[in-house]
Amino acid sequence: MQKIILYTLVIALSFLSKVTAQNKKKAETFEKKVESISNKMDFLLFREKTELKLKVDSLENAFSNQKISANELKDAKLAAAEKSANRIEEGMDKYKKELDDLLQSKLDNESKNITYKIDTINGKKVLVYFKKGEGGHTVTLGGGTNDSIGTQTEYNISSLKIFKGEKDKIERKSKRTTSQFVFATGLNNVITEGESLSDSDFRVWGSHFYEWGFTYNSRIFKNNNLLHAKYGLSLMYNNLRPTENRYFVRNGEQTELVTGGVNFDESRFRNVFLVAPLHLEFDFSPKKTSKDGERTYFKTHESVRLGIGGYAGVRIKSKQILKYEIDDLDIKERQKGDFNVNDFTYGLSAYIGYKATSLYLKYDLNPMFQNNAVDQNNISLGVRFDFN
């Protein structure tokens, strides 16, 4: 299959090169080189197949004449097949590299005929790419939009999407279900039973969380934009930095904070979870009307948004990172294990903001450690970005 794909790609490029008369000779040379490599591949496969068959026939005759046992026959066949397969793999890798080099050279030569210019269309700056004898391809600069250019392509880096013109952008962003890339970061800490955050065992400004993932946003009512169901998958990274030169130690079923025997330059405890968040989102983005007045559509993330809901997931890993110095040697330890951390997590979360940016709060309902005498529940506050 890989061979067929390579042939198809190379032949397609060769065919395109024939469009221009002055490249005809080069195209013929290119095709001959491809044909030569193809013949080498066919010859290699035929030779190995034939020699393996002859070898197996010879072994079968030796077995029939009772010169080797059944086990020896089996082992010899396997060894011969492995040697043949290795020779085929090595040969194919060699010829594949020749094809790759030939194709790369072809692409490099073709790209020399491509140029661009900066143009302004309806007040928008665009890059227009040209190939001699062909039309241009327009790309918006700075992620802008232009209602009057149907062939304009917009590469929206923040949302990881490509829009083929303003019409395509409007249709996709006004669908009843849209998708977003989500990134959040901020402060992380724990609520300890019987204590306040001011008495926390962890640095307030030194402990952080990160979250990234993808969500779907589905408008609940067909002709009303207020209520949406927002759901997806995210990775949560909860980092804690203990105070007073301490670090975590597992003591049987308990996990305790103890004072280090050295001065730590860094003491950080990280839990990573794969979670499925679910929110009811109130989106106050107004409905819009097309320029001809014939169509009403809804867009999300255009105004104030409020989301309330929760999440549930599983722990991926736990890790403690310690950095310190002994005898002028910088030492960095990475300790991996479960540290008696709960394998599952679930909690409540909410966010409120404008367009893509929101203030984000999440709180674990289950304690961080399974069997500690005092419960500690993770809490995070930060900024969230939903790139639509």
Side-chain angles (χ1 to χ4, degrees):
M1 178 60 72
Q2 188 178 38
K3 178 181 173 183
I4 294 174
I5 294 174
L6 283 171
Y7 286 174
T8 304
L9 180 59
V10 172
I11 292 172
L13 287 171
S14 177
F15 176 77
L16 290 174
S17 67
K18 292 183 179 180
V19 176
T20 308
Q22 61 266 30
N23 291 333
K24 183 175 181 180
K25 185 176 180 179
K26 293 181 180 178
E28 291 174 350
T29 302
F30 179 72
E31 287 180 342
K32 287 180 180 179
K33 291 180 179 179
V34 172
E35 184 179 359
S36 174
I37 296 173
S38 173
N39 290 336
K40 291 177 183 178
M41 289 180 169
D42 291 337
F43 177 79
L44 172 65
L45 290 172
F46 181 79
R47 184 191 68 193
E48 291 299 332
K49 179 180 178 182
T50 301
E51 292 184 2
L52 179 60
K53 184 177 184 304
L54 293 174
K55 180 66 175 178
V56 170
D57 289 343
S58 175
L59 292 170
E60 292 284 359
N61 289 333
F63 174 70
S64 299
N65 295 327
Q66 298 183 348
K67 293 181 179 180
I68 58 175
S69 65
N71 288 334
E72 290 174 332
L73 173 64
K74 180 180 177 182
D75 293 341
K77 281 184 177 181
L78 181 60
E82 288 180 350
K83 288 181 180 179
S84 181
N86 289 334
R87 288 193 294 267
I88 291 174
E89 183 178 3
E90 291 174 1
M92 285 301 180
D93 286 343
K94 174 185 175 183
Y95 297 137
K96 180 185 174 184
K97 185 178 185 306
E98 290 183 17
L99 272 177
D100 290 342
D101 293 342
L102 184 62
L103 180 58
Q104 187 61 52
S105 176
K106 179 72 173 175
L107 292 174
D108 290 342
N109 290 332
E110 290 291 335
S111 65
K112 292 178 181 179
N113 296 324
I114 298 177
T115 186
Y116 74 93
K117 70 175 183 178
I118 298 177
D119 203 352
T120 302
I121 303 177
N122 290 351
K124 299 291 183 180
K125 286 187 176 181
V126 296
L127 283 177
V128 183
Y129 293 90
F130 289 98
K131 187 174 182 181
K132 294 178 181 179
E134 297 183 6
H137 180 68
T138 308
V139 180
T140 304
L141 291 178
T145 60
N146 194 314
D147 292 339
S148 63
I149 304 176
T151 59
Q152 184 182 21
T153 301
E154 178 184 336
Y155 297 85
N156 195 304
I157 303 300
S158 62
S159 62
L160 305 178
K161 293 184 176 70
I162 299 175
F163 300 107
K164 297 179 179 179
E166 183 66 14
K167 182 179 179 181
D168 176 53
K169 184 177 181 179
I170 291 175
E171 288 179 351
R172 289 171 62 183
K173 296 188 79 170
S174 61
K175 285 183 177 180
R176 194 160 178 178
T177 296
T178 57
S179 61
Q180 296 81 36
F181 172 73
V182 176
F183 176 76
T185 184
L187 302 178
N188 189 66
N189 219 294
V190 298
I191 298 294
T192 303
E193 186 179 356
E195 296 181 3
S196 64
L197 273 177
S198 60
D199 301 321
S200 176
D201 293 325
F202 307 97
R203 292 160 51 190
V204 175
W205 299 106
S207 302
H208 307 100
F209 84 94
Y210 306 93
E211 178 183 343
W212 65 271
F214 294 89
T215 61
Y216 288 98
N217 188 314
S218 296
R219 190 170 73 249
I220 295 177
F221 300 111
K222 183 177 181 181
N223 296 314
N224 190 295
N225 202 36
L226 181 62
L227 294 180
H228 295 253
K230 197 172 180 72
Y231 48 95
L233 280 177
S234 291
L235 277 173
M236 288 183 178
Y237 300 77
N238 296 331
N239 294 281
L240 294 169
R241 285 182 167 88
T243 59
E244 300 177 359
N245 200 50
R246 292 178 294 177
Y247 68 109
F248 279 108
V249 172
R250 177 173 175 174
N251 184 12
E253 294 185 350
Q254 303 284 313
T255 301
E256 303 170 347
L257 271 178
V258 300
T259 303
V262 295
N263 292 322
F264 292 120
D265 296 321
E266 171 85 4
S267 175
R268 174 159 46 102
F269 185 61
R270 171 185 289 173
N271 292 311
V272 183
F273 297 93
L274 176 65
V275 300
L278 174 63
H279 294 91
L280 177 65
E281 183 174 283
F282 298 82
D283 193 326
F284 296 92
S285 301
K287 66 180 180 181
K288 295 182 179 291
T289 305
S290 60
K291 290 187 175 182
D292 56 15
E294 295 182 357
R295 188 166 66 96
T296 298
Y297 59 92
F298 301 96
K299 295 178 71 173
T300 62
H301 300 72
E302 295 288 320
S303 184
V304 175
R305 295 183 301 114
L306 167 66
I308 53 175
Y311 52 89
V314 296
R315 183 176 61 86
I316 301 299
K317 64 179 178 180
S318 296
K319 179 169 65 174
Q320 183 166 237
I321 300 172
L322 303 174
K323 294 181 183 179
Y324 52 92
E325 183 180 308
I326 296 181
D327 296 331
D328 294 328
L329 294 176
D330 293 328
I331 299 175
K332 182 176 182 179
E333 290 186 28
R334 290 185 175 90
Q335 302 173 351
K336 297 181 181 180
D338 62 14
F339 288 91
N340 293 318
V341 176
N342 269 309
D343 290 329
F344 300 94
T345 186
Y346 56 92
L348 301 175
S349 56
Y351 55 89
I352 182 170
Y354 180 72
K355 291 190 174 181
T357 308
S358 304
L359 184 66
Y360 183 38
L361 174 68
K362 60 186 183 74
Y363 175 71
D364 289 359
L365 292 177
N366 63 320
M368 182 168 59
F369 296 109
Q370 298 178 26
N371 303 303
N372 276 14
V374 179
D375 288 343
Q376 292 178 307
N377 297 60
N378 202 88
I379 186 170
S380 305
L381 175 66
V383 180
R384 171 184 172 126
F385 302 94
D386 293 68
F387 299 111
N388 194 25

